[in-house]
Amino acid sequence: WADRPSLELFTSLANDSDATQVPLMAVLSSRPDARTEAALSGLPHIEVGELEDAERRRLIAGRFDGAQVPSDVSQAIVQRAGGNPFFIIELVEALVDRGVVTLEGEGRERRVVRKPGVPIALPTTLEGVIAARLDELPEAERRAIRWLAAAGAGISPKALSKMAGTDLDEALATLEERGFVSRNHGDTYGFPSAVVRHVAYETTDEADRETMHKQIGAWLSAQRVPAPPARVARH
């Protein structure tokens, strides 16, 4: 998702002989893309493929705290997610959120149990499963994650609450516990994945998004130390 100037800067840093005079490590992650070939050409790189079947099942068991997972549950998750680890994690969380499965027992007897009569119905895309999980959130938490998606990462709970005109502290803390958002340095919030922010933003009503951006821009402009014009202009 890098823009051209960012790729050009990365390529320049990586190929500039003067840059070797100081310790410098540049890291770029990308899907296979012709745009990044120039930046990666001649540089050490690691190709990350899909998880193998055994790795997928270990990840599923790990997300269930090491509990015994029925083969039909594991198979349903693997069939949907393939070898995408983030998709696997989201599907596990979706099953728990919906109460389709529960954890019972202790120690070695701890196991995943399906709720009787409830089918394992899972979305077929990563965006779909995230959207389904967001739809099932209480209104306060859904409002908080959408405000954060509009404002962007690096916002403190206090600042976001002032932008929204309502206290979002408790909702953000709950979202963090459920893995929807992450707490960063300086007591600010962000997203564990750009996909979560994208889905939260795109599933917000267009009129609500417009209102959010106007309020965020107005709040940024009114600060004692005004935000950079480009940041205000984005809203």
Side-chain angles (χ1 to χ4, degrees):
W1 293 309
D3 55 23
R4 183 175 296 279
S6 297
L7 284 175
E8 291 175 351
L9 174 62
F10 180 88
T11 304
S12 175
L13 288 172
N15 295 311
D16 187 352
S17 59
D18 292 336
T20 60
Q21 303 302 314
V22 295
L24 175 67
M25 180 175 70
V27 180
L28 173 71
S29 64
S30 171
R31 296 175 181 176
D33 190 327
R35 296 187 318 119
T36 62
E37 288 182 1
L40 297 174
S41 178
L43 297 177
H45 63 278
I46 301 172
E47 294 185 8
V48 182
E50 290 193 344
L51 297 179
E52 299 293 337
D53 185 70
E55 295 172 321
R56 301 173 193 182
R57 297 180 188 279
R58 282 199 298 270
L59 178 58
I60 293 170
R63 296 303 293 185
F64 282 121
D65 295 328
Q68 301 174 37
V69 185
S71 58
D72 59 334
V73 175
S74 292
Q75 190 61 28
I77 295 172
V78 169
Q79 285 180 341
R80 284 287 190 271
N84 184 327
F86 185 63
F87 200 175
I88 290 174
I89 291 171
E90 286 297 317
L91 288 176
V92 170
E93 298 296 338
L95 290 176
V96 174
D97 286 349
R98 296 177 179 180
V100 177
V101 298
T102 56
L103 291 175
E104 297 182 1
E106 299 292 338
R108 294 184 178 181
E109 299 301 318
R110 191 168 174 78
R111 62 192 185 279
V112 175
V113 179
R114 284 184 59 180
K115 186 175 181 179
V118 178
I120 301 179
L122 296 171
T124 57
T125 65
L126 175 57
E127 290 82 358
V129 70
I130 294 173
R133 291 188 66 203
L134 292 177
D135 284 343
E136 294 167 1
L137 289 174
E139 178 59 29
E141 294 168 26
R142 191 161 55 244
R143 184 189 309 115
I145 197 171
R146 287 173 172 172
W147 270 99
L148 185 61
I155 302 294
S156 69
K158 182 178 180 180
L160 191 64
S161 295
K162 289 184 177 180
M163 292 175 186
T166 185
D167 188 354
L168 300 177
D169 284 37
E170 185 177 344
L172 288 169
T174 303
L175 289 169
E176 181 186 7
E177 291 176 0
R178 301 182 68 174
F180 283 105
V181 303
S182 56
R183 188 182 291 268
N184 305 320
H185 294 296
D187 195 32
T188 63
Y189 278 99
F191 290 90
S193 165
V195 183
V196 175
R197 179 185 178 185
H198 173 77
V199 174
Y201 185 81
E202 293 298 326
T203 54
T204 303
D205 181 77
E206 186 174 352
D208 289 340
R209 285 206 305 261
E210 181 177 345
T211 299
M212 289 177 178
H213 283 301
K214 286 182 177 179
Q215 289 184 214
I216 295 168
W219 186 87
L220 291 172
S221 300
Q223 298 310 293
R224 184 171 59 84
V225 179
R231 185 181 179 191
V232 177
R234 190 179 77 81
H235 296 287

